[in-house]
Amino acid sequence: MKNKALFSPAGLALIGIALLISVVVISSLPRLRIDLTQDDLYTLSDGTREVLDNLERPIELTFFYSEEAIGQMPQVRAYGNRVQELLREMVIASNGNLTLEVIDPEAFSAQEDLATSYGIQAVPLAAGREEVYFGVVAADPGTRVDGETEVYEAIPLVRPDQEEFLEYEFSRLINRVLDPEPTVVGLITSLDIDGGFNPATEQATGAWAIMDTVRYMYDVRRLQNDVSSIDEEIDILMLVHPQELSETTLYAIDQFVMRGGRALVFVDPNSDTQTQIMVGGGGYRDNLGSELPGLLSAWGIDYDATQVVTDQDLALFVTLAQGQRPTAHYGMLGVPREHFANDIVSGQLQVMNLSSAGSLNPADASQTNFEPLIQTSEQTMMMGTDFFREMGDPTLLIDDFVSEEQNRTLAARVSGPASSAFPDGPPSTETAATDADADASETEQAAADSDSSETASQEHLSASVSDIGVIVVADSDVLADRMWAQSRQVAGQRVINAFASNGDFVINALDNLSGSTELINIRSRGRYARPFTRVLALQREADERLRERETNLLERLSETEEQLQALNQGSGTISPEQEAEIERFIQLQLDTRRDLREVQFELNNEIDRLGAVLKAINTALIPALIIIAVLIATLLRNRRRKQTR
């Protein structure tokens, strides 16, 4: 009776209406998600969610995507779907402050003009393929005024090899639109990195190539080495080979970081740059190393400024004199990609060159997070800086090298809450006066006292107000032109040709540190595309078997040919034995070819069976689970009814 009612026209109509209502209800709950992927590809990180939660005004996202042209490229199309899905997840999580529009610009259309106005150009994704649009734009509609372009930021090409960093790139894009003001970088250095004067040649020296690159992208402000306070307009403090800084300056740096300022630090146990200047007649220096006494340990970093890392596996080869063979220099390292962490800063680099670098380690009992960015191989040994200073021949490093079989960290990111290196407050006035230049004029001393008063007037922080953001590199020579770039003048402009990724590392670090704490905390994600590892294993197994059969076949053919040659040496006619041997050879070929076909058939058969199983699981698993759940529910309901009777 019940079945008749269920399958009656009215019953079927009610079922249809119920299904329709269910679809509408489920569609109205876009936040309801179950992410079963291995790397939670469809789950936004906490950092991204915080960036989106902090949106105070609407932002428009536009994905210029040549969907029709990309339809013939399955891998690129899958990546395009991945980009759209991630953008839609961000839109859902933005509480209505983000909107997304996907545009397929056709040739000579208004959409193509719009893409061009944002700097999005069609590019060929593969040789011989049609040019396609694959860029994302974030725009602030609140700044849109008639006749003027609104504030916007664009990624002209969302590169497929950047998939692991998509979430960070899109979050950074939004962050830049919200805060379009240029990042201000404060520079403190003991080197002439930003240009200076060579006492040996008595001529001015130009800025290093890295500073041209940094100045092109950021507002750089040079700070004196005895600065007693860091201007509030400084967003990132870039410390390059800081030597003999006063307590007052160290305190200013400490409080800058405690207040949420970011820092990119290059310390060095032995500056080759200063060594070269000294050898060239530029003046003798007692100390070629640099450190930040008290600060690094307070940030959770253990660094020994008297030890240099040597690495047998990563040693660069240098030519000491013309005509001589290149020699491995264990103190000059060429670090390849596999030694970089899969981080926003270092994950996209190819190779970095460093010279007489130090080692960084997490400090004991530290409360900060220490994340290595660049590491050496295991074939390393720590050597004293005194040995390096006196060493004239790098082959001495080879003679004294004994591997300690330990990876060393050359660069690291430090984050999390930190305590001040000055727990008792600012250094005393007496200490500050001692640290000041004893020969300073009364005017300079008065200015220093004024700065000290200004620093003291600011509230002392014994702990960071939020997570600190510091990246430390245990080498300053990494910035020198000779380690990563060649420069030449073209039409009065300096053109930099990079042969290593040193400059990219610096720009990535500054770019990452210029973001908010939430943005810095976003890490790389997994990849959407997954290889069929079981199929690949089957293919490798079959290949090995095929190679083994082929090897046996060649051996058997060789033996047969030798036997035939031996038979032919007897006379000019073919004997019955030779005919029999030829027949055996032909039969041997046929048998071997049949064996090869059987191996290939087994290979295809195994792959087909695996594919059939996967299809069956994908097709029947969910319906089977639903049926089982319905049967269990029905069984339990019937059991309860029987118990109530």
Side-chain angles (χ1 to χ4, degrees):
M1 187 66 182
K2 290 181 179 178
N3 290 336
K4 290 183 178 179
L6 183 63
F7 292 103
S8 65
L12 293 175
L14 288 174
I15 292 174
I17 293 173
L19 290 174
L20 182 61
I21 294 175
S22 299
V23 171
V24 172
V25 171
I26 293 174
S27 300
S28 63
L29 297 173
R31 288 176 175 272
L32 184 61
R33 293 284 195 281
I34 300 176
D35 188 353
L36 301 178
T37 56
Q38 181 179 2
D39 295 319
D40 295 333
L41 294 177
Y42 299 96
T43 302
L44 299 178
S45 66
D46 293 339
T48 299
R49 290 191 177 280
E50 290 180 18
V51 169
L52 299 176
D53 287 341
N54 293 332
L55 288 177
E56 296 177 350
R57 57 182 185 273
I59 299 295
E60 295 177 349
L61 297 176
T62 305
F63 182 27
F64 291 96
Y65 176 51
S66 302
E67 185 171 11
E68 184 175 351
I70 290 175
Q72 303 301 321
M73 295 181 278
Q75 291 184 341
V76 180
R77 185 180 58 197
Y79 183 58
N81 293 334
R82 164 68 177 143
V83 171
Q84 293 184 66
E85 288 165 353
L86 178 57
L87 290 173
R88 290 196 174 99
E89 286 295 322
M90 297 179 73
V91 170
I92 292 171
S94 68
N95 298 316
N97 283 319
L98 280 183
T99 58
L100 172 64
E101 183 179 10
V102 180
I103 296 178
D104 184 354
E106 297 181 358
F108 310 108
S109 65
Q111 288 83 3
E112 187 177 50
D113 294 339
L114 180 63
T116 304
S117 68
Y118 286 128
I120 309 293
Q121 299 289 338
V123 294
L125 293 183
R129 295 283 189 176
E130 183 180 353
E131 292 186 343
V132 298
Y133 288 90
F134 211 102
V136 175
V137 174
D140 183 355
T143 61
R144 190 171 295 150
V145 181
D146 291 341
E148 297 182 8
T149 305
E150 72 273 34
V151 173
Y152 72 90
E153 290 287 339
I155 302 177
L157 174 63
V158 186
R159 294 166 47 187
D161 61 348
Q162 304 294 313
E163 180 180 352
E164 294 162 304
F165 309 103
L166 276 182
E167 186 175 338
Y168 171 80
E169 293 293 342
F170 294 156
S171 298
R172 186 185 63 165
L173 194 70
I174 296 169
N175 212 54
R176 283 187 170 182
V177 173
L178 294 173
D179 184 13
E181 294 296 325
T183 300
V184 180
V185 177
L187 174 65
I188 297 178
T189 178
S190 299
L191 302 174
D192 292 334
I193 184 174
D194 205 24
F197 180 78
N198 188 337
T201 61
E202 297 185 348
Q203 292 183 350
T205 58
W208 294 7
I210 189 63
M211 288 311 301
D212 277 2
T213 307
V214 173
R215 283 191 181 279
Y216 178 76
M217 303 183 67
Y218 300 97
D219 180 4
V220 179
R221 299 181 185 179
R222 181 70 182 266
L223 305 179
Q224 298 301 315
N225 287 8
D226 59 351
V227 66
S228 57
S229 65
I230 308 298
D231 196 311
E232 293 183 355
E233 293 184 354
I234 301 293
D235 299 304
I236 304 173
L237 198 55
M238 185 171 172
L239 302 168
V240 180
H241 201 46
Q243 290 179 302
E244 302 170 359
L245 299 183
S246 68
E247 285 288 308
T248 303
T249 302
L250 290 172
Y251 178 72
I253 297 171
D254 172 86
Q255 292 298 291
F256 173 78
V257 173
M258 292 299 105
R259 288 189 170 85
R262 313 300 182 188
L264 176 59
V265 182
F266 295 87
V267 289
D268 197 337
N270 185 73
S271 169
D272 283 354
T273 302
Q274 286 186 330
T275 302
Q276 292 182 357
I277 294 174
M278 189 171 62
V279 172
Y284 178 80
R285 295 186 66 93
D286 290 331
N287 181 21
L288 299 180
S290 59
E291 58 180 330
L292 294 172
L295 295 189
L296 294 183
S297 57
W299 298 340
I301 300 174
D302 183 15
Y303 163 72
D304 188 348
T306 66
Q307 296 290 310
V308 173
V309 176
T310 57
D311 191 313
Q312 186 180 44
D313 288 350
L314 303 183
L316 291 173
F317 284 79
V318 298
T319 301
L320 300 177
Q322 189 173 5
Q324 289 188 357
R325 294 178 55 191
T327 302
H329 193 312
Y330 285 11
M332 297 184 68
L333 312 182
V335 184
R337 183 169 189 162
E338 54 265 30
H339 292 273
F340 299 140
N342 191 20
D343 187 274
I344 304 296
V345 173
S346 56
Q348 309 167 44
L349 307 180
Q350 297 299 324
V351 64
M352 284 185 66
N353 297 328
L354 300 92
S355 182
S356 60
S359 174
L360 306 173
N361 295 289
D364 295 336
S366 172
Q367 58 182 341
T368 58
N369 300 319
F370 180 94
E371 301 173 68
L373 296 177
I374 306 173
Q375 289 192 304
T376 65
S377 72
E378 285 189 350
Q379 302 303 315
T380 61
M381 179 182 179
M382 301 300 295
M383 294 188 177
T385 52
D386 292 340
F387 179 75
F388 260 79
R389 291 195 60 174
E390 298 172 358
M391 178 192 68
D393 185 353
T395 58
L396 296 176
L397 296 175
I398 301 175
D399 298 336
D400 289 15
F401 182 85
V402 178
S403 176
E404 297 169 346
E405 297 184 353
Q406 182 177 348
N407 293 107
R408 307 289 180 177
T409 298
L410 305 175
R413 176 203 298 278
V414 179
S415 58
S419 299
S420 170
F422 296 84
D424 300 326
S428 64
T429 306
E430 182 179 353
T431 304
T434 302
D435 292 335
D437 188 353
D439 298 330
S441 65
E442 293 182 358
T443 303
E444 291 173 337
Q445 185 62 51
D449 292 341
S450 175
D451 289 341
S452 298
S453 301
E454 182 182 348
T455 303
S457 65
Q458 296 179 350
E459 181 183 358
H460 170 74
L461 295 176
S462 58
S464 60
V465 296
S466 61
D467 291 351
I468 66 171
V470 177
I471 292 177
V472 180
V473 183
D475 184 34
S476 63
D477 300 305
V478 69
L479 303 176
D481 292 3
R482 67 181 186 282
M483 301 302 294
W484 71 280
Q486 292 178 332
S487 303
R488 57 190 175 93
Q489 296 291 330
V490 177
Q493 299 292 322
R494 187 179 191 179
V495 178
I496 300 172
N497 295 319
F499 54 82
S501 305
N502 300 22
D504 294 333
F505 176 88
V506 175
I507 297 303
N508 289 349
L510 290 173
D511 188 63
N512 183 238
L513 292 173
S514 65
S516 61
T517 301
E518 297 80 11
L519 191 62
I520 292 175
N521 288 333
I522 298 175
R523 296 291 183 267
S524 62
R525 307 299 294 272
R527 285 185 168 272
Y528 178 78
R530 298 284 177 188
F532 290 96
T533 55
R534 176 57 180 158
V535 173
L536 293 176
L538 286 174
Q539 289 177 331
R540 282 196 295 270
E541 181 183 350
D543 286 342
E544 292 176 359
R545 288 155 56 189
L546 282 171
R547 279 197 296 273
E548 185 178 354
R549 295 285 182 91
E550 287 174 349
T551 302
N552 294 334
L553 170 62
L554 291 174
E555 291 178 354
R556 289 158 67 182
L557 288 176
S558 178
E559 292 174 358
T560 306
E561 287 173 354
E562 290 177 358
Q563 293 174 5
L564 282 174
Q565 187 176 4
L567 291 172
N568 287 331
Q569 288 177 353
S571 64
T573 59
I574 299 176
S575 65
E577 291 79 6
Q578 288 175 322
E579 290 183 354
E581 195 63 26
I582 292 173
E583 289 294 331
R584 191 178 71 83
F585 170 70
I586 296 173
Q587 187 61 41
L588 182 62
Q589 280 186 316
L590 294 175
D591 293 343
T592 306
R593 288 175 181 172
R594 186 180 63 250
D595 292 343
L596 290 173
R597 286 197 299 272
E598 289 178 355
V599 171
Q600 190 63 46
F601 175 78
E602 291 173 5
L603 165 66
N604 295 333
N605 197 27
E606 290 178 8
I607 293 176
D608 290 342
R609 282 202 303 269
L610 179 62
V613 171
L614 292 176
K615 287 180 181 178
I617 291 175
N618 289 334
T619 305
L621 179 61
I622 298 302
L625 291 176
I626 294 175
I627 291 172
I628 292 172
V630 171
L631 292 175
I632 292 175
T634 304
L635 182 62
L636 294 175
R637 186 181 59 185
N638 293 336
R639 182 173 297 178
R640 282 197 298 270
R641 285 181 178 177
K642 291 179 179 178
Q643 291 175 350
T644 54
R645 290 176 184 174

